[in-house]
């Protein structure tokens, strides 16, 4: 609950909550807002008795407040029910993938060694599987299985994909009738990013003192994972899951539009009116109700979930955002960008070298913070030791991850600054190195030299 005041301190997050509430209220109250017609069930009811073939889209009127699609299909009804379909589809996949990936990644990191590496190698193989290829394979397997049981698997005009199986209800029949090939495909493919995220975070946590203490007092592996590892990695998982919901619904609508097995109501609306997007004379506004409501709904849904992810970043880990904004403001206030001073000797760092004058250098002659006093080698903690070990093993990414963790928590800043200055000399073209150095300098209070480090970071990212 302590994160709520921080989350609602930004007006953008209030807008996010309002939009999300709008989608949820629409989804829950869909039967009241736009009741289903018992004589014409489904998401695409006809507003007139009997379907008139080849009837063109009609503009908004009393019966259809947002107009009609071809064949007298009301636009308002599928637009409302599409919110329920999008929320259910996106949340089920994102939550399922997040739970599966979190448990798998935490277990792999906790096991470590060859077993953990083998588990992550298995997970990486799922990244090479194309979504469409896997979807087509599952659809064919499902259709073949249903046909072999004497049933039918077909797509109807009003109810979408339907399965008809004759015979008594059995577990296999229930599974076949309720399985969604696209949903199942996305769940088995989208858990991998969550697993990799949790794996990298848990690998750092495993070297912390409270995990070592839990092991020493006899805590079981599952107890440590459940009580310590998962709670301390849940924040990035929530952020990633929030951002995935919008992308999942957009992918569903896209596959539905190109007729590749999706069952998105909003995507089906666009598919039915695709031939009426461009009116006579190339006018895009002649039949605007055919595509504009569904397009705006899909865009708003995707944007609001991505904005929620950004809001959770600020609420759950405000340090990085605050430091970045402060350094950017310092850069904007400077009239002329000042270049950095040369790097001190990696073997004998001296105070007079730290206080040397600013000279013109390129990003290949890294930055030296003149105002930071480095008072001898600090006492190493497990995370800093892990960073040093990673550098000895030439694993730069693992070392940078450890330094970023120390910086975010304001620990061992003198040591981080000392090491990062050495790393900038070895890897002057690595943008992330300059970013971490800028964060550490900001934490230490040297905003001027932090701005210079961020300046190099932005130059390398252009």
């Amino acid at each position: 609950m302590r994160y709520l005041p921080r989350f609602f301190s930004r007006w953008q997050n209030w807008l996010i909550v309002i939009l999300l509430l709008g989608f949820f209220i629409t989804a829950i109250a869909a039967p009241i807002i736009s009741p289903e017609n018992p004589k014409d069930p489904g998401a695409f009811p006809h507003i007139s008795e009997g379907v008139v073939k080849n009837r063109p889209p009609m503009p908004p009127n009393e019966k259809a407040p947002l107009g009609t699609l071809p064949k007298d299909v009301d636009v308002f009804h599928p637009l409302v029910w599409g919110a329920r379909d999008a929320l259910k589809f996106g949340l089920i996949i994102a939550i399922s993938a997040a739970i599966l990936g979190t448990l798998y990644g935490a277990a792999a990191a906790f096991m470590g060694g060859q077993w953990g590496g083998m588990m992550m190698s298995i997970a990486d193989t799922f990244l090479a599987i194309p979504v469409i290829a896997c979807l087509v394979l599952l659809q064919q397997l499902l259709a073949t299985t249903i046909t072999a049981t004497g049933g039918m698997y077909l797509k109807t005009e009003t109810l979408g994909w339907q399965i008809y199986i004759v015979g008594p209800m059995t577990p296999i029949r229930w599974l076949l009738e309720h399985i969604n090939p696209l949903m199942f495909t996305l769940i088995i493919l989208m858990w991998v990013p969550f697993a990799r995220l949790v794996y990298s975070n848990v690998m750092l946590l495993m070297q912390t003192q409270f995990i070592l203490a839990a092991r020493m007092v006899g805590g079981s592996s599952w107890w440590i994972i459940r009580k310590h590892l998962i709670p301390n990695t849940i924040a990035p998982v929530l952020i990633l899951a929030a951002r995935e919901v919008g992308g999942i619904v957009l992918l569903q609508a896209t596959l539905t539009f190109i007729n590749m097995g999706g069952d998105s109501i909003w995507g089906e609306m666009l598919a039915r009116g695709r031939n009426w997007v461009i009116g006579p004379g190339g006018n895009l506004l002649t039949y605007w109700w055919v595509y504009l409501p569904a397009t705006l709904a899909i865009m708003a849904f995707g944007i609001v979930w991505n904005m929620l992810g950004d809001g959770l970043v600020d609420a759950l880990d405000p340090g990085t955002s605050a430091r970045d904004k402060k350094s950017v403001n310092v850069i904007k206030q400077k009239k002329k960008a000042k270049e950095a001073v040369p790097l001190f000797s990696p073997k004998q760092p001296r105070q007079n070298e730290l206080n040397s004058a600013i000279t013109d250098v390129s990003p290949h002659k890294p930055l030296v913070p003149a105002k930071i006093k480095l008072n001898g080698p600090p006492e190493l903690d497990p995370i800093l030791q892990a960073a040093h070990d990673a550098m000895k093993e030439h694993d730069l990414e693992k070392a940078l991850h450890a330094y970023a963790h120390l910086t975010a928590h304001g620990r061992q800043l003198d040591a981080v600054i000392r090491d990062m200055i050495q790393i900038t000399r070895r890897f002057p073209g690595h943008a992330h190195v300059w970013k971490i150095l800028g964060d550490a300098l900001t934490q230490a209070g040297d905003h001027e030299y932090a701005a210079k480090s961020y300046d190099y970071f932005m130059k390398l990212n252009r």
Side-chain angles (χ1 to χ4, degrees), residues 101-103 105-106 109 193-203 233 237:
T102 299
L103 295 176
F194 293 94
R196 294 192 62 84
L197 176 65
V198 173
Y199 177 80
S200 61
N201 288 334
V202 171
M203 287 296 290
T233 57
V237 172

Side-chain angles (χ1 to χ4, degrees), residues 93 138 179-189:
I93 294 177
L138 287 177
I179 192 172
N180 185 320
L182 179 58
M183 182 180 292
F184 187 71
T185 298
L186 294 180
I187 290 176
I188 64 176
L189 295 182

Side-chain angles (χ1 to χ4, degrees), residues 7-57:
F7 179 81
F8 287 109
S9 63
R10 301 180 60 200
W11 69 267
Q12 295 92 334
N13 294 340
W14 282 100
L15 178 61
I16 294 171
V17 172
I18 292 173
L19 292 175
L20 282 177
L21 283 176
F23 280 112
F24 276 99
I25 292 174
T26 302
I28 296 173
I32 300 175
I33 298 174
S34 183
E36 285 192 292
N37 184 356
K39 297 181 180 180
D40 191 10
F44 297 93
H46 304 87
I47 62 173
S48 58
E49 294 293 336
V51 180
V52 180
K53 294 184 178 180
N54 301 323
R55 173 172 288 185

Side-chain angles (χ1 to χ4, degrees), residues 24-291:
F24 276 99
I25 292 174
T26 302
I28 296 173
I32 300 175
I33 298 174
S34 183
E36 285 192 292
N37 184 356
K39 297 181 180 180
D40 191 10
F44 297 93
H46 304 87
I47 62 173
S48 58
E49 294 293 336
V51 180
V52 180
K53 294 184 178 180
N54 301 323
R55 173 172 288 185
M58 302 300 293
N61 51 65
E62 294 182 358
K63 292 184 178 180
L66 290 180
T68 65
L69 295 171
K71 298 183 180 181
D72 259 0
V73 174
D74 185 17
V75 172
F76 180 74
H77 187 79
L79 188 68
V80 170
W81 285 84
R84 171 178 288 194
D85 172 74
L87 283 171
K88 181 176 70 174
F89 188 85
L91 290 175
I92 289 176
I93 294 177
I95 293 173
S96 302
I99 293 174
L100 179 61
T102 299
L103 295 176
Y104 189 93
F110 191 83
M111 294 178 65
Q114 294 182 350
W115 286 104
M118 182 177 67
M119 290 179 65
M120 294 312 299
S121 298
I122 294 173
D124 290 341
T125 59
F126 285 85
L127 296 175
I129 303 176
V131 174
I132 294 181
C134 185
L135 173 62
V136 172
L137 175 62
L138 287 177
Q139 285 179 330
Q140 293 300 319
L141 288 175
L142 181 63
T144 302
T145 304
I146 293 173
T147 303
T149 60
M152 293 185 297
Y153 178 60
L154 71 161
K155 185 176 182 180
T156 62
E157 182 178 355
T158 58
L159 299 178
W161 289 95
Q162 296 294 310
I163 296 174
Y164 299 96
I165 301 178
V166 180
M169 179 61 68
T170 61
I172 296 179
R173 176 184 172 182
W174 185 92
L175 181 64
L176 291 175
E177 289 182 347
H178 290 83
I179 192 172
N180 185 320
L182 179 58
M183 182 180 292
F184 187 71
T185 298
L186 294 180
I187 290 176
I188 64 176
L189 295 182
M190 296 192 68
W191 63 270
V192 181
F194 293 94
R196 294 192 62 84
L197 176 65
V198 173
Y199 177 80
S200 61
N201 288 334
V202 171
M203 287 296 290
L204 289 176
L205 290 172
M206 289 295 294
Q207 303 176 38
T208 56
Q209 294 179 357
F210 69 91
I211 295 295
L212 298 176
R215 282 180 164 179
M216 293 181 64
V217 298
S220 65
S221 299
W222 173 242
W223 185 83
I224 294 176
I225 292 174
R226 181 168 50 89
K227 290 293 185 179
H228 293 295
L229 298 183
I230 292 180
N232 282 281
T233 57
I234 198 66
V237 172
L238 290 177
I239 294 169
L240 179 60
R243 289 174 171 168
E244 290 287 358
V245 173
I248 290 170
V249 172
L250 179 60
L251 178 60
Q252 180 199 24
T254 302
L255 294 176
T256 303
F257 183 78
I258 62 177
N259 198 25
M260 286 297 296
D263 53 0
S264 168
I265 295 177
W266 289 338
E268 182 65 22
M269 291 175 65
L270 295 175
R272 288 172 179 248
R274 75 177 76 201
N275 295 329
W276 300 89
V277 173
I278 301 178
N283 190 350
L284 294 175
L285 298 179
T286 303
Y287 299 102
W288 59 267
W289 60 89
V290 171
Y291 64 90

Side-chain angles (χ1 to χ4, degrees), residues 420-458:
M420 291 309 301
I421 290 174
Q422 306 302 331
I423 294 175
T424 57
R425 188 168 190 173
R426 294 177 57 186
F427 304 96
H430 198 296
H432 195 201
V433 172
W434 293 98
K435 173 65 167 55
I436 296 175
L437 177 57
D439 291 344
L441 289 169
T442 303
Q443 284 274 49
D446 194 334
H447 301 296
E448 179 181 356
Y449 282 90
K452 297 177 185 297
S453 185
Y454 287 130
D455 197 12
Y456 283 144
F457 167 71
M458 290 186 289

